Amino acid sequence: MALDLQEMDIFAAERLPCRPWDSTGKPEPSDLIFPSYSVRRTGDNLLKDCCRLTLKVERNLDGELSHAVPDTTIHGSLSSVHCSLDKKHYQLIRGILENNLGEPVEEFLRPYNLQDPSSY
């Protein structure tokens, strides 16, 4: 599968039980509604401009018989982003990237001239 996601944005949100508006009225226009829960935005956009994410997802369709290749492989590239994060959001995004996308790829290594973000 090849995915080309354009005009991407990131925002903070909270997961709510299914149909939380039953007792409070109507859903918010920005709510994302799924069969068993909904997601409600809790703040503004974190990116100054939208970005682009390109993904290539490969699946091992013979996974029951052969493990010569991984069951799922995802390769992707992200355009440059300009964002404004508070410490809480920065730690969340950094944790996701370190724990889920933590392969040390040369393109994403921190340039030597950047300071530690906690110092400014």
Side-chain angles (χ1 to χ4, degrees):
M1 264 187 293
L3 301 170
D4 186 11
L5 306 172
Q6 299 178 16
E7 301 296 318
M8 297 274 303
D9 205 349
I10 298 174
F11 57 87
E14 64 180 331
R15 182 183 188 274
L16 300 171
C18 187
R19 303 186 198 337
W21 56 87
D22 286 345
S23 60
T24 61
K26 294 192 243 174
E28 304 256 339
S30 62
D31 284 358
L32 300 174
I33 302 167
F34 298 96
S36 59
Y37 66 95
S38 65
V39 177
R40 179 165 292 163
R41 204 175 207 159
T42 59
D44 292 332
N45 296 339
L46 300 177
L47 299 179
K48 299 287 186 188
D49 296 314
C50 292
C51 64
R52 182 177 187 168
L53 176 63
T54 305
L55 296 172
K56 181 179 178 184
V57 180
E58 299 173 349
R59 291 183 42 214
N60 179 4
L61 298 178
D62 200 21
E64 294 293 323
L65 303 173
S66 171
H67 292 289
V69 295
D71 290 340
T72 305
T73 305
I74 301 172
H75 299 278
S77 65
L78 178 66
S79 68
S80 0
V81 294
H82 180 206
C83 61
S84 175
L85 304 173
D86 60 16
K87 186 175 180 178
K88 181 180 172 186
H89 289 126
Y90 171 77
Q91 289 173 333
L92 173 66
I93 290 173
R94 180 157 179 173
I96 291 170
L97 293 174
E98 282 182 344
N99 294 312
N100 295 319
L101 303 173
E103 182 179 338
V105 179
E106 185 177 322
E107 294 175 44
F108 296 109
L109 294 178
R110 180 186 294 239
Y112 68 91
N113 61 348
L114 286 181
Q115 297 177 3
D116 180 13
S118 63
S119 66
Y120 54 88

